[in-house]
């Protein structure tokens, strides 16, 4: 009688979900890691890179009122609405929500991540009309930190600052 070796086959099935895999580390950021005053170091939009202070702005990201100001010249703050950070999502959602008059709601969706002491933020170039009941799960947002020329997204790299109206 001859011994017969039987092979064992393992079938591995990978399912693509359309989202990046969550990092393995256990230290998830909190919303407070994203709130605060941030200064643009670099912005990418429509295939162009902006890295001169005259072309960049400062950001005050606060839950009740978020906005920006120019880094050069007269520092005039522009409010853009409340800021919503959802760290239960991956990548983290960082949205501006403008709840205007007559029940009209607009949202400027984005995603963000921390890289050391910097934040990388990709968001829509414009506000979109939104159904107020759909805001918690509103789906039209960037899916990646890579942007393309003539795409609907803008990418910023920012660093923390101590206070509003920081200028160069």
């Amino acid at each position: 009688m001859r011994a017969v070796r039987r092979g064992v086959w393992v079938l591995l099935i990978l399912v693509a979900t359309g989202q990046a895999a969550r990092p393995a580390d256990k230290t998830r950021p909190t919303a407070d890691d994203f709130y605060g005053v941030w200064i643009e170091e670099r912005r990418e939009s429509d295939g162009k890179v902006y890295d001169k202070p005259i072309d960049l702005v400062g950001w005050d990201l606060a839950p009740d009122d978020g906005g920006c100001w120019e880094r050069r010249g007269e520092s005039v703050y522009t409010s853009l609405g409340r800021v919503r950070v959802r760290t239960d999502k991956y990548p983290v959602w960082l949205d501006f929500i403008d709840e205007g008059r007559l029940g009209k709601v607009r949202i400027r969706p984005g995603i963000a991540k921390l890289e050391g002491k910097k934040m990388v933020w990709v968001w829509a170039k414009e506000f979109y009309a939104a159904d107020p009941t759909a805001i918690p799960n509103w789906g039209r947002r960037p899916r990646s930190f890579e942007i393309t020329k003539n795409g609907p997204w803008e990418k910023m790299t920012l660093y923390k600052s101590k206070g509003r109206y920081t200028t160069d």
Side-chain angles (χ1 to χ4, degrees):
M1 184 176 229
R2 202 170 66 166
V4 177
R5 283 194 162 162
R6 294 185 181 234
V8 176
W9 290 86
V10 176
L11 178 60
L12 180 61
I13 299 174
L14 299 174
V15 177
T17 63
Q19 292 187 356
R22 187 177 298 274
D25 71 358
K26 302 291 184 215
T27 57
R28 290 176 53 189
T30 67
D32 288 337
D33 294 327
F34 295 92
Y35 290 129
V37 176
W38 293 85
I39 304 299
E40 280 185 4
E41 176 179 84
R42 175 186 169 104
R43 183 172 16 95
E44 298 173 50
S45 183
D46 288 330
K48 296 178 186 170
V49 174
Y50 302 91
D51 57 4
K52 294 180 177 43
I54 192 126
D55 298 322
L56 303 172
V57 299
W59 291 93
D60 191 352
L61 304 177
D64 294 334
D65 178 38
C68 61
W69 65 92
E70 293 180 352
R71 285 180 54 189
R72 289 279 171 93
E74 187 178 350
S75 293
V76 177
Y77 180 77
T78 302
S79 176
L80 297 174
R82 67 184 176 90
V83 177
R84 178 185 62 178
V85 175
R86 292 206 44 196
T87 58
D88 62 319
K89 300 294 186 179
Y90 186 80
V92 171
W93 290 4
L94 198 159
D95 305 329
F96 269 91
I97 300 172
D98 176 28
E99 297 167 315
R101 292 178 285 203
L102 304 174
K104 294 190 183 211
V105 176
R106 300 177 320 138
I107 185 169
R108 198 161 178 182
I111 57 174
K113 66 180 177 179
L114 299 173
E115 289 184 345
K117 294 184 176 188
K118 295 183 181 180
M119 175 172 54
V120 178
W121 179 18
V122 175
W123 75 332
K125 290 182 196 173
E126 60 188 59
F127 278 91
Y128 297 103
D131 175 354
T133 62
I135 286 177
N137 299 309
W138 201 72
R140 185 174 177 163
R141 72 180 55 257
R143 301 270 186 238
S144 144
F145 289 95
E146 300 301 318
I147 61 168
T148 59
K149 186 174 182 179
N150 299 323
W153 317 119
E154 188 171 60
K155 178 179 177 179
M156 294 168 281
T157 303
L158 308 104
Y159 59 89
K160 274 272 196 188
S161 179
K162 297 201 184 296
R164 190 187 282 185
Y165 300 121
T166 300
T167 59
D168 301 294

